[in-house]
Amino acid sequence: MAISQLEEWASTKHSTLLPNIRLQFEYLTEIANVLVIDKSILLSESLVTELFTKLNAVQINQLVQCFEPDEYAPEEVYSLIKQTVSGYAEKSPESSLVTLDPNHFVLVSNSS
């Protein structure tokens, strides 16, 4: 089921929760996009910043480091891309924070 279909369902069944649900779906959409895009896009820090406004560099780095190819995104992530994205995370002001909910932060180790 597509995220847009879930959002439509939520708007009809749970309209009081819709603002929070939409925000979570925005995060989920960006996570899905990181997983399926051509990973060479991640070599451009300006593109990463432009394309992923909800996820921070630490979150993107975590997704890239844990990525395993499958039938939807069969290309492996080359070490240059992993190193580049890791560099974004290391210099990020959020280098020790990961948030999936903007109201809750989780401290993480920055060593991948």
PDB file of all heavy atoms in Angstrom, residues 25-48:
ATOM      1  N   PHE A  25       4.302  10.461   7.964  1.00  0.00           N
ATOM      2  CA  PHE A  25       4.354   9.994   6.586  1.00  0.00           C
ATOM      3  C   PHE A  25       5.433  10.727   5.781  1.00  0.00           C
ATOM      4  O   PHE A  25       6.037  10.153   4.887  1.00  0.00           O
ATOM      5  CB  PHE A  25       2.994  10.123   5.895  1.00  0.00           C
ATOM      6  CG  PHE A  25       1.985   9.096   6.331  1.00  0.00           C
ATOM      7  CD1 PHE A  25       0.639   9.347   6.217  1.00  0.00           C
ATOM      8  CD2 PHE A  25       2.373   7.861   6.839  1.00  0.00           C
ATOM      9  CE1 PHE A  25      -0.308   8.415   6.606  1.00  0.00           C
ATOM     10  CE2 PHE A  25       1.440   6.917   7.233  1.00  0.00           C
ATOM     11  CZ  PHE A  25       0.094   7.187   7.114  1.00  0.00           C
ATOM     12  N   GLU A  26       5.676  11.997   6.106  1.00  0.00           N
ATOM     13  CA  GLU A  26       6.748  12.725   5.424  1.00  0.00           C
ATOM     14  C   GLU A  26       8.101  12.075   5.728  1.00  0.00           C
ATOM     15  O   GLU A  26       8.937  11.912   4.843  1.00  0.00           O
ATOM     16  CB  GLU A  26       6.752  14.194   5.851  1.00  0.00           C
ATOM     17  CG  GLU A  26       5.594  14.981   5.295  1.00  0.00           C
ATOM     18  CD  GLU A  26       5.513  16.404   5.840  1.00  0.00           C
ATOM     19  OE1 GLU A  26       6.492  16.871   6.465  1.00  0.00           O
ATOM     20  OE2 GLU A  26       4.463  17.041   5.645  1.00  0.00           O
ATOM     21  N   TYR A  27       8.297  11.682   6.979  1.00  0.00           N
ATOM     22  CA  TYR A  27       9.536  10.970   7.343  1.00  0.00           C
ATOM     23  C   TYR A  27       9.626   9.639   6.608  1.00  0.00           C
ATOM     24  O   TYR A  27      10.670   9.287   6.056  1.00  0.00           O
ATOM     25  CB  TYR A  27       9.599  10.719   8.857  1.00  0.00           C
ATOM     26  CG  TYR A  27      10.041  11.904   9.662  1.00  0.00           C
ATOM     27  CD1 TYR A  27       9.109  12.693  10.325  1.00  0.00           C
ATOM     28  CD2 TYR A  27      11.386  12.236   9.774  1.00  0.00           C
ATOM     29  CE1 TYR A  27       9.506  13.788  11.078  1.00  0.00           C
ATOM     30  CE2 TYR A  27      11.784  13.329  10.523  1.00  0.00           C
ATOM     31  CZ  TYR A  27      10.840  14.103  11.174  1.00  0.00           C
ATOM     32  OH  TYR A  27      11.247  15.175  11.907  1.00  0.00           O
ATOM     33  N   LEU A  28       8.521   8.896   6.601  1.00  0.00           N
ATOM     34  CA  LEU A  28       8.519   7.590   5.930  1.00  0.00           C
ATOM     35  C   LEU A  28       8.793   7.718   4.434  1.00  0.00           C
ATOM     36  O   LEU A  28       9.515   6.900   3.854  1.00  0.00           O
ATOM     37  CB  LEU A  28       7.182   6.877   6.160  1.00  0.00           C
ATOM     38  CG  LEU A  28       6.922   6.410   7.589  1.00  0.00           C
ATOM     39  CD1 LEU A  28       5.496   5.893   7.723  1.00  0.00           C
ATOM     40  CD2 LEU A  28       7.935   5.367   8.009  1.00  0.00           C
ATOM     41  N   THR A  29       8.234   8.752   3.822  1.00  0.00           N
ATOM     42  CA  THR A  29       8.465   8.989   2.393  1.00  0.00           C
ATOM     43  C   THR A  29       9.937   9.254   2.129  1.00  0.00           C
ATOM     44  O   THR A  29      10.528   8.700   1.191  1.00  0.00           O
ATOM     45  CB  THR A  29       7.603  10.162   1.897  1.00  0.00           C
ATOM     46  OG1 THR A  29       6.225   9.839   2.100  1.00  0.00           O
ATOM     47  CG2 THR A  29       7.851  10.450   0.434  1.00  0.00           C
ATOM     48  N   GLU A  30      10.566  10.083   2.966  1.00  0.00           N
ATOM     49  CA  GLU A  30      11.988  10.369   2.770  1.00  0.00           C
ATOM     50  C   GLU A  30      12.847   9.129   3.020  1.00  0.00           C
ATOM     51  O   GLU A  30      13.814   8.893   2.301  1.00  0.00           O
ATOM     52  CB  GLU A  30      12.436  11.537   3.649  1.00  0.00           C
ATOM     53  CG  GLU A  30      11.907  12.850   3.117  1.00  0.00           C
ATOM     54  CD  GLU A  30      12.625  14.073   3.666  1.00  0.00           C
ATOM     55  OE1 GLU A  30      13.632  13.933   4.394  1.00  0.00           O
ATOM     56  OE2 GLU A  30      12.178  15.185   3.340  1.00  0.00           O
ATOM     57  N   ILE A  31      12.489   8.342   4.015  1.00  0.00           N
ATOM     58  CA  ILE A  31      13.230   7.101   4.266  1.00  0.00           C
ATOM     59  C   ILE A  31      13.143   6.192   3.043  1.00  0.00           C
ATOM     60  O   ILE A  31      14.156   5.666   2.576  1.00  0.00           O
ATOM     61  CB  ILE A  31      12.696   6.393   5.526  1.00  0.00           C
ATOM     62  CG1 ILE A  31      13.078   7.202   6.773  1.00  0.00           C
ATOM     63  CG2 ILE A  31      13.218   4.961   5.617  1.00  0.00           C
ATOM     64  CD1 ILE A  31      12.369   6.766   8.038  1.00  0.00           C
ATOM     65  N   ALA A  32      11.945   6.029   2.510  1.00  0.00           N
ATOM     66  CA  ALA A  32      11.764   5.193   1.320  1.00  0.00           C
ATOM     67  C   ALA A  32      12.563   5.745   0.150  1.00  0.00           C
ATOM     68  O   ALA A  32      13.194   4.979  -0.600  1.00  0.00           O
ATOM     69  CB  ALA A  32      10.280   5.110   0.962  1.00  0.00           C
ATOM     70  N   ASN A  33      12.576   7.057  -0.010  1.00  0.00           N
ATOM     71  CA  ASN A  33      13.324   7.668  -1.111  1.00  0.00           C
ATOM     72  C   ASN A  33      14.823   7.417  -0.978  1.00  0.00           C
ATOM     73  O   ASN A  33      15.492   7.139  -1.970  1.00  0.00           O
ATOM     74  CB  ASN A  33      13.023   9.160  -1.211  1.00  0.00           C
ATOM     75  CG  ASN A  33      11.643   9.424  -1.746  1.00  0.00           C
ATOM     76  OD1 ASN A  33      11.025   8.580  -2.372  1.00  0.00           O
ATOM     77  ND2 ASN A  33      11.128  10.611  -1.477  1.00  0.00           N
ATOM     78  N   VAL A  34      15.361   7.524   0.238  1.00  0.00           N
ATOM     79  CA  VAL A  34      16.792   7.232   0.435  1.00  0.00           C
ATOM     80  C   VAL A  34      17.096   5.803   0.000  1.00  0.00           C
ATOM     81  O   VAL A  34      18.119   5.531  -0.630  1.00  0.00           O
ATOM     82  CB  VAL A  34      17.222   7.440   1.906  1.00  0.00           C
ATOM     83  CG1 VAL A  34      18.609   6.868   2.166  1.00  0.00           C
ATOM     84  CG2 VAL A  34      17.189   8.911   2.279  1.00  0.00           C
ATOM     85  N   LEU A  35      16.194   4.899   0.296  1.00  0.00           N
ATOM     86  CA  LEU A  35      16.439   3.490   0.004  1.00  0.00           C
ATOM     87  C   LEU A  35      16.352   3.144  -1.479  1.00  0.00           C
ATOM     88  O   LEU A  35      17.012   2.210  -1.923  1.00  0.00           O
ATOM     89  CB  LEU A  35      15.474   2.616   0.813  1.00  0.00           C
ATOM     90  CG  LEU A  35      15.627   2.719   2.328  1.00  0.00           C
ATOM     91  CD1 LEU A  35      14.533   1.926   3.025  1.00  0.00           C
ATOM     92  CD2 LEU A  35      17.006   2.271   2.781  1.00  0.00           C
ATOM     93  N   VAL A  36      15.561   3.901  -2.250  1.00  0.00           N
ATOM     94  CA  VAL A  36      15.358   3.520  -3.654  1.00  0.00           C
ATOM     95  C   VAL A  36      16.021   4.429  -4.684  1.00  0.00           C
ATOM     96  O   VAL A  36      16.088   4.072  -5.853  1.00  0.00           O
ATOM     97  CB  VAL A  36      13.851   3.377  -4.004  1.00  0.00           C
ATOM     98  CG1 VAL A  36      13.207   2.294  -3.174  1.00  0.00           C
ATOM     99  CG2 VAL A  36      13.119   4.689  -3.872  1.00  0.00           C
ATOM    100  N   ILE A  37      16.537   5.589  -4.263  1.00  0.00           N
ATOM    101  CA  ILE A  37      17.152   6.494  -5.239  1.00  0.00           C
ATOM    102  C   ILE A  37      18.474   5.939  -5.754  1.00  0.00           C
ATOM    103  O   ILE A  37      19.065   5.034  -5.156  1.00  0.00           O
ATOM    104  CB  ILE A  37      17.416   7.901  -4.645  1.00  0.00           C
ATOM    105  CG1 ILE A  37      18.420   7.817  -3.496  1.00  0.00           C
ATOM    106  CG2 ILE A  37      16.150   8.596  -4.267  1.00  0.00           C
ATOM    107  CD1 ILE A  37      18.985   9.154  -3.078  1.00  0.00           C
ATOM    108  N   ASP A  38      18.930   6.515  -6.835  1.00  0.00           N
ATOM    109  CA  ASP A  38      20.280   6.259  -7.322  1.00  0.00           C
ATOM    110  C   ASP A  38      21.218   6.826  -6.266  1.00  0.00           C
ATOM    111  O   ASP A  38      21.242   8.033  -6.022  1.00  0.00           O
ATOM    112  CB  ASP A  38      20.477   6.949  -8.666  1.00  0.00           C
ATOM    113  CG  ASP A  38      21.889   6.864  -9.199  1.00  0.00           C
ATOM    114  OD1 ASP A  38      22.764   6.276  -8.526  1.00  0.00           O
ATOM    115  OD2 ASP A  38      22.126   7.406 -10.294  1.00  0.00           O
ATOM    116  N   LYS A  39      21.960   5.970  -5.613  1.00  0.00           N
ATOM    117  CA  LYS A  39      22.772   6.384  -4.463  1.00  0.00           C
ATOM    118  C   LYS A  39      23.872   7.383  -4.831  1.00  0.00           C
ATOM    119  O   LYS A  39      24.381   8.079  -3.963  1.00  0.00           O
ATOM    120  CB  LYS A  39      23.394   5.175  -3.759  1.00  0.00           C
ATOM    121  CG  LYS A  39      22.398   4.134  -3.281  1.00  0.00           C
ATOM    122  CD  LYS A  39      21.406   4.673  -2.297  1.00  0.00           C
ATOM    123  CE  LYS A  39      20.474   3.614  -1.776  1.00  0.00           C
ATOM    124  NZ  LYS A  39      19.409   3.210  -2.675  1.00  0.00           N
ATOM    125  N   SER A  40      24.215   7.508  -6.114  1.00  0.00           N
ATOM    126  CA  SER A  40      25.238   8.486  -6.502  1.00  0.00           C
ATOM    127  C   SER A  40      24.769   9.914  -6.217  1.00  0.00           C
ATOM    128  O   SER A  40      25.584  10.817  -6.063  1.00  0.00           O
ATOM    129  CB  SER A  40      25.634   8.328  -7.964  1.00  0.00           C
ATOM    130  OG  SER A  40      24.557   8.639  -8.816  1.00  0.00           O
ATOM    131  N   ILE A  41      23.472  10.125  -6.112  1.00  0.00           N
ATOM    132  CA  ILE A  41      22.931  11.439  -5.743  1.00  0.00           C
ATOM    133  C   ILE A  41      23.461  11.865  -4.383  1.00  0.00           C
ATOM    134  O   ILE A  41      23.657  13.050  -4.116  1.00  0.00           O
ATOM    135  CB  ILE A  41      21.387  11.407  -5.758  1.00  0.00           C
ATOM    136  CG1 ILE A  41      20.881  11.303  -7.196  1.00  0.00           C
ATOM    137  CG2 ILE A  41      20.779  12.608  -5.050  1.00  0.00           C
ATOM    138  CD1 ILE A  41      19.410  11.051  -7.334  1.00  0.00           C
ATOM    139  N   LEU A  42      23.743  10.892  -3.530  1.00  0.00           N
ATOM    140  CA  LEU A  42      24.202  11.186  -2.178  1.00  0.00           C
ATOM    141  C   LEU A  42      25.616  11.756  -2.136  1.00  0.00           C
ATOM    142  O   LEU A  42      26.068  12.208  -1.088  1.00  0.00           O
ATOM    143  CB  LEU A  42      24.119   9.926  -1.315  1.00  0.00           C
ATOM    144  CG  LEU A  42      22.714   9.330  -1.162  1.00  0.00           C
ATOM    145  CD1 LEU A  42      22.781   7.997  -0.433  1.00  0.00           C
ATOM    146  CD2 LEU A  42      21.780  10.306  -0.467  1.00  0.00           C
ATOM    147  N   LEU A  43      26.300  11.756  -3.267  1.00  0.00           N
ATOM    148  CA  LEU A  43      27.643  12.348  -3.322  1.00  0.00           C
ATOM    149  C   LEU A  43      27.596  13.871  -3.301  1.00  0.00           C
ATOM    150  O   LEU A  43      28.604  14.519  -3.032  1.00  0.00           O
ATOM    151  CB  LEU A  43      28.382  11.865  -4.574  1.00  0.00           C
ATOM    152  CG  LEU A  43      28.766  10.391  -4.576  1.00  0.00           C
ATOM    153  CD1 LEU A  43      29.296   9.979  -5.943  1.00  0.00           C
ATOM    154  CD2 LEU A  43      29.777  10.091  -3.480  1.00  0.00           C
ATOM    155  N   SER A  44      26.441  14.444  -3.562  1.00  0.00           N
ATOM    156  CA  SER A  44      26.281  15.906  -3.556  1.00  0.00           C
ATOM    157  C   SER A  44      25.579  16.327  -2.272  1.00  0.00           C
ATOM    158  O   SER A  44      24.379  16.102  -2.106  1.00  0.00           O
ATOM    159  CB  SER A  44      25.461  16.359  -4.762  1.00  0.00           C
ATOM    160  OG  SER A  44      25.073  17.700  -4.608  1.00  0.00           O
ATOM    161  N   GLU A  45      26.330  16.946  -1.383  1.00  0.00           N
ATOM    162  CA  GLU A  45      25.746  17.377  -0.109  1.00  0.00           C
ATOM    163  C   GLU A  45      24.607  18.368  -0.328  1.00  0.00           C
ATOM    164  O   GLU A  45      23.597  18.330   0.381  1.00  0.00           O
ATOM    165  CB  GLU A  45      26.818  17.976   0.792  1.00  0.00           C
ATOM    166  CG  GLU A  45      26.339  18.243   2.201  1.00  0.00           C
ATOM    167  CD  GLU A  45      27.455  18.612   3.156  1.00  0.00           C
ATOM    168  OE1 GLU A  45      28.587  18.890   2.701  1.00  0.00           O
ATOM    169  OE2 GLU A  45      27.191  18.634   4.361  1.00  0.00           O
ATOM    170  N   SER A  46      24.733  19.229  -1.318  1.00  0.00           N
ATOM    171  CA  SER A  46      23.661  20.198  -1.571  1.00  0.00           C
ATOM    172  C   SER A  46      22.380  19.502  -2.034  1.00  0.00           C
ATOM    173  O   SER A  46      21.280  19.892  -1.637  1.00  0.00           O
ATOM    174  CB  SER A  46      24.096  21.262  -2.579  1.00  0.00           C
ATOM    175  OG  SER A  46      24.386  20.683  -3.827  1.00  0.00           O
ATOM    176  N   LEU A  47      22.504  18.459  -2.849  1.00  0.00           N
ATOM    177  CA  LEU A  47      21.320  17.698  -3.270  1.00  0.00           C
ATOM    178  C   LEU A  47      20.699  16.962  -2.096  1.00  0.00           C
ATOM    179  O   LEU A  47      19.475  16.908  -1.962  1.00  0.00           O
ATOM    180  CB  LEU A  47      21.679  16.689  -4.364  1.00  0.00           C
ATOM    181  CG  LEU A  47      21.630  17.187  -5.785  1.00  0.00           C
ATOM    182  CD1 LEU A  47      22.092  16.102  -6.750  1.00  0.00           C
ATOM    183  CD2 LEU A  47      20.246  17.664  -6.158  1.00  0.00           C
ATOM    184  N   VAL A  48      21.525  16.396  -1.253  1.00  0.00           N
ATOM    185  CA  VAL A  48      21.029  15.681  -0.072  1.00  0.00           C
ATOM    186  C   VAL A  48      20.217  16.639   0.797  1.00  0.00           C
ATOM    187  O   VAL A  48      19.104  16.325   1.230  1.00  0.00           O
ATOM    188  CB  VAL A  48      22.185  15.043   0.728  1.00  0.00           C
ATOM    189  CG1 VAL A  48      21.703  14.524   2.078  1.00  0.00           C
ATOM    190  CG2 VAL A  48      22.830  13.924  -0.072  1.00  0.00           C
TER     191      VAL A  48
END
